[in-house]
Structures are given as structure tokens and as C-alpha cells.
Amino acid sequence: MTLLFFILACFMQLCFCAVHKVGESAGWTTIGNVDYKLWAATKTFQVGDVIVFQYSPQFHNVMQVTHAAYQSCNASAPIATHTTGKDSITITAHGHHFFLCGVPGHCQAGQKVDINVLRVSSSVSPSQSPSSLSHIPAVAVPAPSPSHAFYWLPSKIGVVFAVALVLLVSFA
């Protein structure tokens, strides 16, 4: 029975994710003084979520950078660069994911965002204090906003059939 609950928990983790449009209706821009730090603090990010950057590619881009580059607005050595104007980035790991606009002056004007994917854990082991869990302080994140949209991942349909088959064989 424990195996069944484990399989169901894994199934739920694989099948649902959220799509977050950075900056909501304003998108990824320097116009309108969008507070991307505040925007990110109102979201609960999870592994599998999709982060959408929508912007005018003539005026902006999206660069994934290190923490040091994020802090200093240094776009000279990005981890990845996106330039389509509607970039969808799937979060594949827990921790901080740093993004900025590499156009000169835009990051300094606030066009940068820290996507912090927290580990879902109900407790901290006695040998670990909360401050020892990460070298980067975590931000308290409130419940998801109403725009926290869930959708089915078509690429995971095979997983659904495999789990259904395992359950069928187990209980037949």
C-alpha cells in the first residue's frame, strides 16, 4: 500500500505544473516600473513549472545568469540567452534561478528576477538549522495567486499509462 501512495505522489508531481508569466500583463519590460522582486514573491514556484518571458525582442532579451552576475547586473557570461520575445523556460531543479535583461541599463533599472524554487519539506532535521540549508536566503512565499494556472503536460501521458498499467496489474 505504501508503494501505491508513493506512485500516486510521483504521478501527481509529474502531471501538473504551473505557467507563470513574468510581470503578468506588463510582461518583461522597463516601462511602468514593474517590481519583479515583488512579482516573484507572490508566486510559489515548483520543479516542472514553466516561466514565460513575453517582451519585444527588438528592445529586450532574457539571460539566465549566476547569482554574482545577477547581483552586479553583469550580462557578459550568461548561462543561457533567450531572444524570441516569448520564451518559455521549464524549471528543472530546486533553488534559485536568476534572470536579467542583457540590454545595457535595463538590469540596473530593475529588469531582473530571481525565481526561487523551494524544496517541499514538512520538517528540518535536528542537525540542520534553517539557515544552514542554503547559502542564499530564501524568501517567504505566500500562497499561489489566482493566476497560478495548472495544465496537463502532454509529454507525461506515457507516464500516466504506465502508472495505470502498474496499478491494474497490482490489483488484478
Side-chain angles (χ1 to χ4, degrees), residues 6-141:
F6 175 75
I7 291 170
L8 288 175
C10 290
F11 173 75
M12 292 302 291
Q13 188 72 13
L14 289 173
C15 294
F16 294 98
C17 68
V19 176
H20 303 277
K21 182 180 174 191
V22 177
E24 301 296 340
S25 61
W28 186 239
T29 184
T30 53
I31 299 171
N33 296 323
V34 179
D35 187 339
Y36 293 108
K37 185 175 183 176
L38 177 62
W39 174 84
T42 65
K43 308 294 177 217
T44 301
F45 300 105
Q46 297 180 11
V47 171
D49 285 359
V50 177
I51 310 301
V52 177
F53 291 86
Q54 192 166 1
Y55 58 93
S56 175
Q58 301 98 316
F59 303 109
H60 304 286
N61 60 37
V62 177
M63 293 184 166
Q64 185 170 6
V65 296
T66 64
H67 184 233
Y70 175 83
Q71 287 182 313
S72 64
C73 286
N74 183 348
S76 65
I79 296 166
T81 301
H82 306 275
T83 59
T84 68
K86 188 161 185 177
D87 304 314
S88 296
I89 300 167
T90 302
I91 300 300
T92 60
H94 294 97
H96 291 264
H97 304 270
F98 302 101
F99 300 93
L100 55 79
C101 181
V103 173
H106 289 200
C107 178
Q108 292 84 348
Q111 196 176 4
K112 63 182 187 174
V113 66
D114 172 6
I115 305 296
N116 186 12
V117 182
L118 300 174
R119 290 192 184 276
V120 178
S121 175
S122 59
S123 64
V124 175
S125 71
S127 64
Q128 292 179 312
S129 67
S131 63
S132 70
L133 294 177
S134 175
H135 66 282
I136 301 171
V139 176
V141 180

